[in-house]
């Protein structure tokens, strides 16, 4: 299938500090691209993989499961870890669930997490019907482009495939069970006005993780896809400060890799 314009993966080879950026459910690397480029311009090595089933048509996502998305994120992490001294994971929405799963499993290989409107639980009572509903109904209306900023769109699907949504619900359960094993520093940014993922998701993350170095910031002017919204600059700046605080090589290296 042809790829949606802007949905292609992104990679930049910079200095010894690497950042993995993970997009959300039914989204694409396009939602992470400006953030990734900001970090790349600061001299960091950056990787934004395209998760399986994404970036083409929603029917392709229907055939995938959370284990497929996780495997791709994990492979990108392994690749970064092989060439970088330190690796951070930045994520949006469902990407946040995958990031927490990586942090639980890979421990010291990850120096910190930056989570934007992480999705870790169901906000829809109908989720309990997914095991049955997915065999009756292929899809529901999509969730892409929840953005306050006018004339800004997310490259994502206009339908929500229910087989994949059912698998996402299984990922949430797995992530919730593993959250106490997450001990890395965390920067969590969330929008009080989010029409896709309720603030209770961020509250659950903060309550369950075992990290002691935790910073919470509110994205008051943005909706769900905050990485493309009014607060994008706040996210980019705060995440770079976070990385530089925890990885001194990132600050030193900025002067050598501007481009």
């Amino acid at each position: 299938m042809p790829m949606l314009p802007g949905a292609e993966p992104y990679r930049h080879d910079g200095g010894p500090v690497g950042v993995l950026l993970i997009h959300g459910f039914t989204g694409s690397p396009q939602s992470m691209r400006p953030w990734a480029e900001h970090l790349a311009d600061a001299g960091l090595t950056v990787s934004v993989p395209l998760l399986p089933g994404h970036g083409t048509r929603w029917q392709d996502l229907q055939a995938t499961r959370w284990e497929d998305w996780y495997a791709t994120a994990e492979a990108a992490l392994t690749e970064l870890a092989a060439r970088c001294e330190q690796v951070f994971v930045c994520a949006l929405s469902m990407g946040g669930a995958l990031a927490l799963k990586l942090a639980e499993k890979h421990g010291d290989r990850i120096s910190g997490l930056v989570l934007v409107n992480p999705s870790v639980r169901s906000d829809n009572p109908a989720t309990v019907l997914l095991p049955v509903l997915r065999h009756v109904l292929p899809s529901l209306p999509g969730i892409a482009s929840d953005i306050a900023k006018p004339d800004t769109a997310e490259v994502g699907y206009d339908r929500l495939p229910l087989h994949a949504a059912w698998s996402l619900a299984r990922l949430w359960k797995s992530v919730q069970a593993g959250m106490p094993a997450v001990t890395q520093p965390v920067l969590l940014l969330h929008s009080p006005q989010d029409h896709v993922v309720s603030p209770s998701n961020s509250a659950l993350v903060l309550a369950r993780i075992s990290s002691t170095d935790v910073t919470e910031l509110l994205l008051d002017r943005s909706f769900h896809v905050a990485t493309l919204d009014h607060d994008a600059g706040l996210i980019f700046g705060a995440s770079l400060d976070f990385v530089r605080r925890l990885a001194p090589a990132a600050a030193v290296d900025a002067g050598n890799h501007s481009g």
Side-chain angles (χ1 to χ4, degrees):
M1 280 305 296
M3 199 174 288
L4 295 170
E8 57 280 338
Y10 172 76
R11 176 74 198 231
H12 172 83
D13 287 327
V17 179
V19 183
L20 169 64
L21 295 101
I22 312 174
H23 68 76
F25 185 64
T26 75
S28 76
Q30 177 259 359
S31 62
M32 312 300 277
R33 185 69 179 256
W35 189 3
E37 289 177 345
H38 182 86
L39 298 175
D41 287 344
L44 304 179
T45 292
V46 176
S47 174
V48 193
L50 173 65
L51 300 179
H54 291 78
T56 50
R57 54 186 199 132
W58 70 262
Q59 291 90 340
D60 294 334
L61 183 55
Q62 191 72 294
T64 66
R65 297 294 176 263
W66 79 259
E67 291 88 351
D68 303 316
W69 317 326
Y70 177 79
T72 294
E74 188 174 50
L77 173 69
T78 301
E79 196 182 321
L80 277 175
R83 72 174 301 277
C84 295
E85 293 167 12
Q86 284 181 264
V87 178
F88 293 80
V89 183
C90 298
L92 170 67
S93 194
M94 173 192 78
L98 296 173
L100 287 162
K101 193 83 193 146
L102 287 169
E104 172 206 340
K105 188 171 174 189
H106 290 281
D108 293 345
R109 288 179 84 185
I110 297 173
S111 294
L113 300 177
V114 181
L115 308 174
V116 177
N117 292 324
S119 163
V120 294
R121 63 182 293 276
S122 170
D123 295 311
N124 186 339
T127 303
V128 296
L129 304 174
L130 276 176
V132 175
L133 199 59
R134 69 193 179 104
H135 295 294
V136 184
L137 197 66
S139 68
L140 289 173
I143 53 171
S145 279
D146 183 36
I147 299 171
K149 194 177 182 181
D151 305 319
T152 305
E154 179 188 16
V155 174
Y157 296 148
D158 58 1
R159 302 295 299 177
L160 188 75
L162 292 195
H163 280 306
W166 165 78
S167 191
L168 173 59
R170 290 172 60 239
L171 169 63
W172 288 331
K173 281 187 180 166
S174 175
V175 169
Q176 287 176 25
M179 273 192 224
V182 175
T183 57
Q184 296 90 339
V186 171
L187 170 60
L188 191 149
L189 307 99
H190 63 98
S191 309
Q193 264 193 293
D194 184 327
H195 306 98
V196 177
V197 171
S198 78
S200 62
N201 284 260
S202 290
L204 181 61
V205 172
L206 294 171
R208 289 265 179 101
I209 59 174
S210 300
S211 310
T212 52
D213 180 344
V214 179
T215 307
E216 179 186 10
L217 294 176
L218 291 183
L219 306 170
D220 289 315
R221 300 167 62 234
S222 302
F223 294 160
H224 183 60
V225 191
T227 52
L228 298 176
D229 216 328
H230 292 298
D231 293 305
L234 169 61
I235 295 169
F236 303 169
S239 60
L240 184 56
D241 289 346
F242 176 76
V243 169
R244 285 180 170 162
R245 173 168 69 83
L246 296 164
V252 171
D253 219 63
N256 308 328
H257 292 270
S258 52

